[in-house]
Amino acid sequence: MTDPEDREQQAKVTRSLLYRLDAPLAAHCRLRGVLPAPGAVRIAVRAGEDSYTRDFLYEIPHDTVSPDDIPGLLRTVLAGPQLYSSSDVGEAMGMTLLRLRPRDIGPASETEEGRALAFLRSLTGPADDENPFLIGFLLHGESLLRLYVRRPDRPGVIGVDVRVVGPPPTALVAALPSLVAQERHRRPAPDDPHCDLLVDLTDG
């Protein structure tokens, strides 16, 4: 892999799938690895359970899909039988290699947990360890995510309700600390003992 754009794309795919290592990609299908290939990324997946398992490598060309769309693409492929031409099937490292044609495959929609994960990741970074903003979260209701954040004005916790129905809205993520700091958005939180106040941003 010598092309800088390929290396950058490979790194993005690897980062986007790191958090999938501990949860099934689909029923009875688990991520085993992300491997580099010329002009493509190969996703290693173990299908089956107990002694009835089989390993597959799904090859996805870099120029056909963004890294964020790969989990949805894999969910579609893993949801049921797919047809492959003989030229799209091979073997590598003892695994069946399947070359995907993303333009012919519609990505399955992201799960609620996946959308929440994307939102939470957008709020955190390595610099947050010493002065964290986000200190907790709860999925509740239909596509509702409650964020627990530090109060900017004094000790305490504010609960912030947001909807997770698509990719994290960049404008909302960027404005969140200032919105939380505004008194006019706050209200009491009598039913949640884990925060002092609530901010409802479900319409924003």
Side-chain angles (χ1 to χ4, degrees):
M1 179 178 289
T2 57
D3 189 300
E5 289 186 4
D6 279 0
R7 291 198 303 269
E8 183 179 342
Q9 184 84 340
Q10 177 73 30
K12 287 180 181 177
V13 174
T14 299
R15 285 194 301 271
S16 73
L17 289 175
L18 279 176
Y19 294 90
R20 312 276 174 164
L21 194 57
D22 197 36
L25 288 168
H28 312 300
C29 296
R30 289 192 168 270
L31 177 70
R32 300 292 290 170
V34 181
L35 293 78
V41 62
R42 290 178 174 177
I43 313 298
V45 174
R46 175 160 291 171
E49 290 186 328
D50 302 324
S51 58
Y52 300 99
T53 60
R54 190 170 173 189
D55 292 339
F56 296 89
L57 268 180
Y58 292 94
E59 184 176 292
I60 304 168
H62 283 316
D63 61 352
T64 57
V65 64
S66 76
D68 292 337
D69 290 333
I70 286 181
L73 181 73
L74 289 171
R75 280 195 301 275
T76 297
V77 171
L78 298 172
Q82 306 288 323
L83 296 176
Y84 300 96
S85 68
S86 58
S87 62
D88 290 334
V89 180
E91 187 174 340
M93 300 175 66
M95 294 177 274
T96 300
L97 172 63
L98 301 168
R99 296 178 181 89
L100 302 184
R101 301 179 184 273
R103 291 188 178 95
D104 301 330
I105 305 169
S109 59
E110 180 62 273
T111 63
E112 182 180 56
E113 292 81 6
R115 294 192 303 269
L117 174 59
F119 201 109
L120 294 168
R121 285 175 63 192
S122 71
L123 290 174
T124 58
D128 293 336
D129 289 343
E130 292 184 7
N131 189 28
F133 174 64
L134 178 70
I135 57 174
F137 65 91
L138 172 69
L139 275 166
H140 68 110
E142 186 64 30
S143 298
L144 288 178
L145 176 64
R146 178 162 293 173
L147 310 168
Y148 293 94
V149 303
R150 290 174 56 244
R151 290 189 64 163
D153 49 352
R154 59 188 177 89
V157 177
I158 295 179
V160 184
D161 284 338
V162 296
R163 288 201 182 279
V164 286
V165 294
T170 306
L172 176 58
V173 171
L176 201 56
S178 63
L179 290 172
V180 168
Q182 297 174 16
E183 292 283 349
R184 63 188 177 96
H185 291 296
R186 299 176 183 177
R187 60 182 173 82
D191 300 324
D192 189 341
H194 307 94
C195 57
D196 309 303
L197 298 165
L198 277 177
V199 172
D200 187 348
L201 299 179
T202 55
D203 295 327

